[in-house]
Amino acid sequence: MNCGKRNSQRIQRGFTFIEIMVSAGLCVVVLGLLFQSLFQGSRTSTRKIDELSALSQAKRVIRGLHFSLKGAKKVLKPLKGEVSSLCVIENSRKEIMIFGLDEKSNFYRLKGPQKEILARLSPGEYEISRFRFRRPFEKGIEFYLKLTSRDGDPFVEFFDAFALP
C-alpha cells in the first residue's frame, strides 16, 4: 500500500507537458497583443509628427509671404483677374521678387539672381498639391495653398488675401 501512495504523490507534484504548452501559448498571445498595441502607438505618433511638420512648413510659407508682401508696392504677375503659380512683385526699393514653388515642393523667393528657399516641405506623408496666386482687383492679391497626404487625401488648406498700399 505504501507503494501506491508514493506513485500518486509523484504524479501530483509536477506539471504535465500539455499544461506547459497551454501556458506557453497564452504567454505568446498576451505578448503578441502587447507588442501590437505598442507598434500601433508608434505608427500613430509618427503620423502626428509628419502632420505637425507639414503644418509648420505651411505656416513658414505664409509667414514668408506676409513678410515679403508687406513691402510690396506693385504686383506685376498675376495680372488682374488672372490665376498663376508665380507671384512677381516690385518692392519699395524697386527690386523685383518672384515667389513660386519648385519641382521639389520648395517654396522660394527669387530676388535678383539669388534663390532663397522660404520653406522646404520635407519628404514624408504630405505634399503641396495646389499652390496659386490670384489677383481679384488692382491693389490686392490672394494666396491659396493646399496640402494633401501621399494617398491624395486633403490635409489642410490655407487661403489669405493681401491689400497693397
Side-chain angles (χ1 to χ4, degrees):
M1 261 196 160
N2 283 342
C3 289
K5 283 185 180 178
R6 272 192 196 160
N7 287 342
S8 66
Q9 286 176 351
R10 281 188 197 158
I11 292 173
Q12 292 176 357
R13 263 194 259 167
F15 294 103
T16 65
F17 181 71
I18 293 174
E19 290 171 331
I20 292 172
M21 293 305 291
V22 168
S23 63
L26 287 174
C27 285
V28 167
V29 168
V30 168
L31 287 174
L33 291 173
L34 177 68
F35 284 127
Q36 183 180 4
S37 66
L38 287 175
F39 289 130
Q40 181 67 29
S42 173
R43 275 186 254 131
T44 302
S45 68
T46 302
R47 184 171 175 93
K48 289 295 178 192
I49 289 170
D50 283 347
E51 286 177 7
L52 289 173
S53 174
L55 280 174
S56 172
Q57 294 301 326
K59 285 179 184 178
R60 285 185 68 195
V61 168
I62 290 174
R63 270 187 268 140
L65 270 173
H66 270 281
F67 181 75
S68 298
L69 291 177
K70 232 184 233 183
K73 294 297 177 195
K74 189 176 183 183
V75 178
L76 305 173
K77 182 177 174 91
L79 300 173
K80 185 178 173 187
E82 184 183 49
V83 175
S84 175
S85 61
L86 290 176
C87 178
V88 182
I89 64 165
E90 181 180 51
N91 64 15
S92 57
R93 291 176 283 190
K94 302 285 186 200
E95 297 171 320
I96 304 294
M97 289 191 281
I98 302 170
F99 297 92
L101 193 69
D102 66 13
E103 65 282 348
K104 295 179 184 173
S105 289
N106 295 323
F107 182 70
Y108 67 88
R109 173 178 60 195
L110 284 176
K111 190 175 177 183
Q114 290 181 304
K115 181 178 181 179
E116 179 185 359
I117 305 283
L118 297 177
R120 184 182 320 266
L121 193 62
S122 56
E125 186 77 19
Y126 300 97
E127 62 185 7
I128 296 175
S129 62
R130 191 156 211 193
F131 178 77
R132 69 174 188 230
F133 291 95
R134 188 171 83 90
R135 191 163 169 202
F137 49 92
E138 191 63 36
K139 292 261 182 189
I141 190 161
E142 294 175 345
F143 169 77
Y144 176 77
L145 171 72
K146 181 178 182 180
L147 292 174
T148 58
S149 69
R150 298 276 181 207
D151 303 334
D153 298 329
F155 173 58
V156 69
E157 294 178 87
F158 290 99
F159 176 80
D160 209 347
F162 303 96
L164 302 176

